[in-house]
Amino acid sequence: MQLDKFSDFALRILIALAAHAPDRLATSTIAQMYGISENHLSKIATQLAKNGFVVSERGRGGGLKLALPPSEIFIGEVLRALKKDEPVAECFGSNNSCKILPACGLRGPLQAAQEAFFATLDKTSLLTATGSKERLKVLLEL
């Protein structure tokens, strides 16, 4: 499986917030840290807030912060929340018009592979993903 940019950037936001916790970070600051479009990150941050992974506050002193401790945020849960409507293959979606679906033997293995992918990430917390918090802070300095 491959993460799309949306999911990749979402994980980067969470890692930056975990590295700087309990401080708040502006989306613009995170965008500068990674050299990513602020507009794109704002959309992702909105989705992370909607799914309860971050808290977003507007105005002076506002910004993003984690909604839960990093030890309680699991990467599999984050990715499932962000990708819930995107099937791994067409035959898992609502538009399963694949001509060979009735005879195809790939559906089961693809589903098992997707579940194995998520099962591994379900055991990986944001705390684990941040590794060395101090080293990350240095790498993410502006």
Side-chain angles (χ1 to χ4, degrees):
M1 294 215 40
Q2 182 176 347
L3 294 182
D4 62 3
K5 283 188 177 187
F6 192 92
S7 298
D8 178 24
F9 293 169
L11 295 177
R12 291 187 200 197
I13 290 170
L14 293 174
I15 288 170
L17 293 175
H20 289 85
D23 298 337
R24 292 182 188 280
L25 293 177
T27 306
S28 59
T29 302
I30 299 170
Q32 286 180 314
M33 289 174 172
Y34 290 115
I36 298 171
S37 160
E38 181 182 347
N39 186 41
H40 194 57
L41 281 190
S42 293
K43 293 175 187 174
I44 298 167
T46 299
Q47 194 65 36
L48 287 170
K50 196 182 289 188
N51 285 294
F53 299 111
V54 301
V55 175
S56 176
E57 289 190 22
R58 292 180 166 261
R60 189 173 180 91
L64 300 173
K65 72 174 188 173
L66 295 175
L68 301 166
S71 61
E72 295 179 24
I73 297 175
F74 290 89
I75 305 305
E77 182 182 2
V78 173
L79 294 178
R80 277 191 166 109
L82 297 176
K83 310 311 299 163
K84 62 183 168 210
D85 295 330
E86 293 184 25
V88 67
E90 180 184 326
C91 56
F92 295 103
S94 58
N95 183 19
N96 51 12
S97 59
C98 180
K99 198 173 201 172
I100 64 169
L101 183 62
C104 182
L106 270 180
R107 194 166 198 264
L110 284 174
Q111 187 168 19
Q114 180 178 2
E115 285 309 309
F117 175 80
F118 282 117
T120 299
L121 295 175
D122 285 340
K123 299 173 194 167
T124 306
S125 72
L126 182 57
L127 181 64
T128 302
T130 56
S132 169
K133 183 176 175 177
E134 293 308 314
R135 188 158 183 222
L136 273 175
K137 283 178 88 166
V138 169
L139 292 170
L140 292 173
E141 281 184 7
L142 296 177

